[in-house]
Amino acid sequence: MSWQTYVDEHLMCEIEGHHLTSAAIMGQDGSVWAQSASFPQFKPEEITNIINDFNEPGTLAPIGLFLASTKYMVIQGEPGAVIRGKKGSGGITVKKTNQALIFGIYDEPMTPGQCNMVVERLGDYLIDQGL
């Protein structure tokens, strides 16, 4: 299965009538493996900051998580495994696997819990596959 199929069928899928706004799978070097058409144009240093927070949990909390110059307030996550951010009625979930970062961005009416479930379920699956 291609990485694009994972994005299209597993991340951008319908959950209780709702969809993520955008999604992507990236290598831990910041290279994009696959993304939805609507995934924002990010800056390389934004991905570097996210990777640094996985390696040293808590570094983003004081400054916020930035993606495509959009600032998300960092909320509870799982240190070294999941970063969650909130902005207005939407937010972001980033799950780290052995080799990749999985991004899900949502807005109402999708809930934070639905976004977390979609992103983390795929991440857990990829971890189980050794990816």
Side-chain angles (χ1 to χ4, degrees):
M1 190 182 310
S2 78
W3 291 112
Q4 193 62 49
T5 305
Y6 281 109
V7 170
D8 297 341
E9 296 182 7
H10 297 280
L11 292 175
M12 298 301 291
C13 63
E14 185 174 304
I15 299 290
E16 297 170 23
H18 310 302
H19 297 86
L20 291 173
T21 307
S22 60
I25 301 174
M26 295 183 197
Q28 290 184 12
D29 59 358
S31 62
V32 176
W33 294 0
Q35 65 184 23
S36 64
S38 56
F39 195 76
Q41 185 63 45
F42 58 88
K43 298 176 183 146
E45 61 268 20
E46 294 171 332
I47 304 305
T48 301
N49 291 340
I50 291 168
I51 292 167
N52 289 343
D53 192 80
F54 280 119
N55 296 331
E56 296 178 41
T59 57
L60 285 179
I63 58 169
L65 182 159
F66 285 85
L67 190 69
S69 299
T70 299
K71 182 179 181 178
Y72 296 89
M73 180 179 65
V74 177
I75 55 177
Q76 98 295 346
E78 297 168 30
V82 179
I83 301 170
R84 298 184 185 109
K86 186 92 174 108
K87 178 179 177 19
S89 61
I92 187 169
T93 301
V94 186
K95 169 81 174 177
K96 181 178 182 245
T97 71
N98 300 330
Q99 299 175 17
L101 300 174
I102 306 191
F103 289 78
I105 299 174
Y106 70 95
D107 213 338
E108 283 185 335
M110 188 173 228
T111 66
Q114 289 168 327
C115 177
N116 295 342
M117 184 179 69
V118 169
V119 172
E120 294 175 37
R121 185 173 57 194
L122 178 59
D124 291 340
Y125 170 78
L126 293 175
I127 289 169
D128 288 346
Q129 301 302 307
L131 301 167

